[in-house]
Amino acid sequence: MIIVLKRDNKSVLEDVRRRLMSGGFQFSVLEGVKYTVIPVVGDLSASDINRFRSVPGVEKVLRISSPYYLVTKEYKTKSVVDVGDGVSIGNQFQLIAGPCSVESEESLDRIAAFLAGKGVRLLRAGAYKMRSSPYSFQGLGEEGLRIIREVSQRHGMRSVSEIIDLRSLDSFLEHIDIIQVGARNMYNYALLREVGRSGKPVLLKRAPSARIEDFLLAAEYLMLEGNEQIILCERGSLTFDEAVRSAINMAAIPILKDISHLPVIIDPSHGVGIARYIPAVSEASVLLGADGVMLEVHFDPSNALSDGFQSVNFDQFSHIHERIGKILSCLGCTRC
Ligand code: PEP
Ligand code: MN
């Protein structure tokens, strides 16, 4: 960090010097024309930095190093999330697809059968839904998790579903292969810690108001509990632009992959919110280096119980699947 003081303020300089020495930090003092600049090296935590920010007379404290470590490439060069049964994310492009919500065993089975027929190995479906309105369909709950497990096993798929409450963690551990922590819960650190402790693969979504730094810090919470099986998912941020549901940041793919060893996927369904633009965004993500795309798919989007407007139908999915396959083979990568 760098501490900046007004040059003529000798008593503040003495105070800062005393605090730095008693904390065992290495530093030097550079006197400029108007300011005194103190570069400090050593193992500085966020609270050290905030403590110096609150010393009376200190003008500014600039942080140089990032506040996270375990998620970075300094800690590990690459992570591949092993979901079991030969399915992994991080070493081959993956399509994760399924309805927004599990609506019934029959409808999930119809969707899973279609997707498995295309070679998709990861089935997504929400059993507990965090709807903005308490009057909207809230999901089938525990029964939904059981349906997801039966249907995914029947079709040789692995499952992804969102946890919204710690009380259902045991059921998720029993029925689900990848626990999704949704956008609204990215800041729920108690939930992150417990899910982290469980050791299950986690699909962590970026909150609509989170900066990349906040997103990586949420992943750091999971890693700190010893869980390295994390998939980062960009799903768009809040925006004033009414043409889309969220502003998906496609640059987040190369940025996150540059900073972190964790696999990065995109969710264009929530990130764009309009089915007809989803193919283009999905295809672009391959070129940007994403490890996968998560898509909401329904055989009859206009009658889906949630997020029908952004769900692609079977024809649209087939088109995306075929185009992504072609792009991957042009790039010489593994097919999805
Ligand atoms: C979902 O994937 O169904 C979902 C609710 O996503 P998000 O948390 O990104 O809104
Ligand atoms: Mn949804």
Side-chain angles (χ1 to χ4, degrees):
M1 78 178 158
I2 296 175
I3 303 175
V4 181
L5 322 171
K6 283 261 167 60
R7 185 191 158 132
D8 49 13
N9 212 333
K10 296 290 174 208
S11 63
V12 179
L13 175 59
E14 275 326 298
D15 185 13
V16 169
R17 202 196 284 274
R18 214 178 30 253
R19 289 171 191 258
L20 286 169
M21 278 172 17
S22 71
F25 297 110
Q26 260 186 286
F27 63 98
S28 52
V29 176
L30 309 171
E31 303 240 303
V33 182
K34 278 181 149 165
Y35 294 101
T36 299
V37 176
I38 310 173
V40 184
V41 292
D43 191 12
L44 291 147
S45 66
S47 66
D48 288 325
I49 294 169
N50 283 331
R51 227 162 357 98
F52 282 99
R53 276 198 180 123
S54 61
V55 172
V58 165
E59 286 285 310
K60 245 190 251 188
V61 177
L62 307 171
R63 195 182 68 201
I64 296 171
S65 58
S66 54
Y68 37 72
Y69 172 65
L70 298 173
V71 295
T72 68
K73 288 214 169 93
E74 283 161 55
Y75 172 72
K76 193 173 171 185
T77 45
K78 185 175 169 68
S79 281
V80 172
V81 176
D82 181 358
V83 196
D85 204 18
V87 183
S88 54
I89 303 179
N91 58 353
Q92 64 182 140
F93 190 88
Q94 288 288 2
L95 276 173
I96 304 170
C100 176
S101 319
V102 44
E103 299 172 356
S104 67
E105 180 156 350
E106 295 67 37
S107 70
L108 188 63
D109 190 78
R110 186 168 164 191
I111 296 167
F114 164 74
L115 294 170
K118 297 268 166 206
V120 175
R121 302 293 315 279
L122 286 153
L123 179 69
R124 64 140 289 145
Y128 293 89
K129 299 304 298 178
M130 290 202 76
R131 307 303 299 281
S132 306
S133 164
Y135 303 111
S136 301
F137 176 59
Q138 303 285 307
L140 299 182
E142 170 88 27
E143 171 65 359
L145 295 181
R146 193 197 53 75
I147 294 174
I148 296 168
R149 184 180 70 177
E150 292 208 349
V151 171
S152 57
Q153 285 182 349
R154 192 177 303 147
H155 295 284
M157 301 171 91
R158 308 303 270 178
S159 59
V160 184
S161 197
E162 179 181 352
I163 190 167
I164 64 170
D165 186 324
L166 266 180
R167 285 172 295 183
S168 51
L169 182 57
D170 286 342
S171 305
F172 275 79
L173 296 178
E174 186 184 341
H175 299 300
I176 301 299
D177 301 306
I178 302 180
I179 301 180
Q180 177 173 321
V181 175
R184 293 169 181 79
N185 266 313
M186 188 210 85
Y187 287 113
N188 185 341
Y189 301 127
L191 181 68
L192 291 176
R193 280 191 195 280
E194 286 299 323
V195 171
R197 231 168 266 160
S198 78
K200 268 262 173 171
V202 185
L203 191 157
L204 176 66
K205 288 197 162 191
R206 174 172 169 182
S209 59
R211 300 165 305 162
I212 285 194
E213 178 174 309
D214 305 317
F215 187 27
L216 287 170
L217 283 168
E220 188 89 1
Y221 265 92
L222 293 164
M223 292 228 20
L224 206 51
E225 299 300 330
N227 193 337
E228 303 200 352
Q229 300 274 291
I230 304 163
I231 303 144
L232 300 173
C233 179
E234 162 67 37
R235 52 79 72 209
S237 303
L238 286 174
T239 175
F240 56 85
D241 191 346
E242 288 165 5
V244 282
R245 178 174 176 177
S246 321
I248 194 162
N249 180 0
M250 298 300 278
I253 305 169
I255 294 170
L256 289 168
K257 288 197 70 78
D258 189 32
I259 302 173
S260 179
H261 53 86
L262 298 170
V264 178
I265 67 164
I266 283 278
D267 169 0
S269 305
H270 295 86
V272 180
I274 305 161
R276 71 173 176 281
Y277 303 124
I278 296 202
V281 175
S282 306
E283 290 162 26
S285 72
V286 184
L287 293 167
L288 288 164
D291 295 292
V293 173
M294 180 152 92
L295 293 172
E296 287 184 338
V297 181
H298 200 284
F299 50 86
D300 181 9
S302 62
N303 279 309
L305 294 183
S306 57
D307 284 350
F309 192 60
Q310 67 191 32
S311 299
V312 293
N313 61 29
F314 287 1
D315 283 347
Q316 288 166 317
F317 183 84
S318 298
H319 171 77
I320 296 170
H321 183 265
E322 192 190 324
R323 295 265 305 167
I324 286 182
K326 283 188 184 153
I327 298 168
L328 287 169
S329 45
C330 284
L331 295 173
C333 303
T334 321
R335 279 187 80 87
C336 53

